[in-house]
């Protein structure tokens, strides 16, 4: 493994020792016009952010990277990039380990969360996506465990540099697949690694808790549930558990 990680053709690495959040740094660069494939990587983050205002504990030893994407679409389709990123993470898990993707974009390995994905978009006044920052934190060497975590942690193993090379290569491949075939092809790949149809799940929607059976995702990535009150489509929420 080379000391300087090798990125896909045309991609650019911005390597930092320490930063508040790689997502903030990538957004700043994106606002200044850097092209798609600009990757901000830091050895540590002092203010790493997770979804829903949570923190992402980020000492040296794990991977923290944020990639600038310019998907040329409107906001609802940009959310599909969360599935692109989740599949890219699943792609770098070594063979022989059990992988499960959880809606919307968690990846569990051997039952533990191995990575977190934080997508942040900038929109024009007319709703066009100007850029998306795909922030990915991967537990490479250790798995921080905090009280607010929904899943136990898991680690990928290997080196941070190898994880970054693998992740960026997988991201480039999954992005190309998304551009060529749209969400449909990814949806099949995602479902093949998701929990079984019919498994009982709880989903938190603000203060509401919805219980139902997992019925897949639709063509826009919304979660489909069969509940006691009938079918339900959930565009944004937090999956709390999946029986199997
Ligand atoms: C989650 O809540 O699961 C998402 C966590 C995302 C963490 C990554 S680490 C790199 C990038 N920079 C951040 O501040 N957050 C993301």
């Amino acid at each position: 493994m080379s000391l300087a990680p090798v990125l896909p053709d045309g991609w650019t690495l911005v390597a930092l020792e320490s930063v508040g959040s790689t997502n903030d740094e990538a957004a700043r660069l994106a606002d200044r016009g850097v092209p798609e494939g600009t990757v901000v990587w830091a050895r540590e983050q002092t203010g790493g952010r997770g979804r829903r205002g949570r923190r992402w504990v980020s000492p040296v030893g794990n991977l923290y990277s944020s990639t600038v994407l310019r998907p040329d679409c409107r906001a609802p389709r940009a959310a599909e990039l969360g599935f692109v990123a989740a599949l890219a993470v699943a792609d770098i898990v070594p063979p022989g380990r059990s992988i499960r993707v959880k809606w919307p974009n968690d990846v569990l390995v051997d039952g533990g969360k191995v990575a977190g994905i934080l997508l942040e978009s900038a929109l024009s006044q007319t709703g066009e996506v100007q850029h998306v920052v795909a922030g990915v934190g991967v537990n490479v060497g250790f798995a921080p465990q905090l009280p607010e975590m929904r899943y136990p942690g898991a680690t990928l193993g290997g080196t941070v540099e190898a994880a970054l090379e693998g992740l960026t290569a997988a991201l480039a491949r999954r992005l190309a697949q998304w551009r060529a075939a749209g969400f449909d092809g990814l949806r099949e790949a995602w479902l093949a690694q998701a929990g079984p149809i019919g498994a009982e799940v709880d989903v938190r929607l603000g203060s509401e808790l919805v219980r139902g059976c997992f019925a897949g995702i639709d063509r826009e990535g919304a979660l489909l549930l069969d509940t006691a009150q009938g079918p339900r489509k959930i565009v944004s929420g937090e999956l709390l558990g999946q029986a199997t």
Side-chain angles (χ1 to χ4, degrees), residues 69-94:
L69 305 175
R70 298 201 181 271
D72 192 20
C73 66
R74 296 179 67 81
R77 278 211 70 208
E80 297 172 7
L81 294 170
F83 295 86
V84 169
L87 285 170
V89 170
D91 288 344
I92 63 167
V93 176

Side-chain angles (χ1 to χ4, degrees), residues 43-214:
R43 292 274 178 195
E44 68 166 4
Q45 298 183 117
T46 52
R49 296 185 284 106
R51 296 200 301 268
R52 301 180 182 275
R54 296 191 182 105
R55 64 198 164 119
W56 188 258
V57 179
S58 311
V60 174
N62 286 335
L63 173 64
Y64 315 109
S65 69
S66 298
T67 303
V68 174
L69 305 175
R70 298 201 181 271
D72 192 20
C73 66
R74 296 179 67 81
R77 278 211 70 208
E80 297 172 7
L81 294 170
F83 295 86
V84 169
L87 285 170
V89 170
D91 288 344
I92 63 167
V93 176
R97 302 187 64 186
S98 117
I99 304 172
R100 183 143 290 176
V101 293
K102 299 268 178 175
W103 186 87
N105 47 34
D106 276 322
V107 180
L108 304 192
V109 172
D110 301 331
K113 175 160 163 155
V114 80
I117 294 167
L118 180 64
L119 282 192
E120 295 181 314
S121 307
L123 304 180
S124 70
Q125 285 186 340
T126 54
E128 294 299 321
V129 174
Q130 288 170 323
H131 71 250
V132 174
V133 170
V136 182
V138 181
N139 297 337
V140 175
F142 63 95
Q145 202 58 53
L146 300 174
E148 64 263 32
M149 286 182 171
R150 286 169 295 145
Y151 304 108
T155 55
L156 189 71
T159 66
V160 170
E161 289 82 357
L164 178 62
E165 287 193 357
L167 179 68
T168 51
L171 205 47
R173 276 195 307 271
R174 290 295 185 179
L175 267 173
Q177 186 185 9
W178 179 72
R179 285 206 162 96
F183 187 58
D184 278 349
L186 290 179
R187 182 173 165 272
E188 291 310 311
W190 190 89
L191 283 171
Q193 300 189 83
I197 299 292
E200 196 168 90
V201 296
D202 289 327
V203 183
R204 192 183 355 242
L205 304 174
S207 57
E208 186 193 3
L209 194 66
V210 181
R211 172 157 295 178
C213 292
F214 178 58

Side-chain angles (χ1 to χ4, degrees), residues 10-48:
W11 288 38
T12 308
L13 183 62
V14 178
L16 306 169
E17 280 304 314
S18 181
V19 73
S21 160
T22 53
N23 263 35
D24 293 344
E25 188 58 22
R28 205 178 57 78
L29 294 175
D31 284 342
R32 281 171 38 190
V34 297
E36 172 162 301
T38 302
V39 179
V40 177
W41 166 47
R43 292 274 178 195
E44 68 166 4
Q45 298 183 117
T46 52

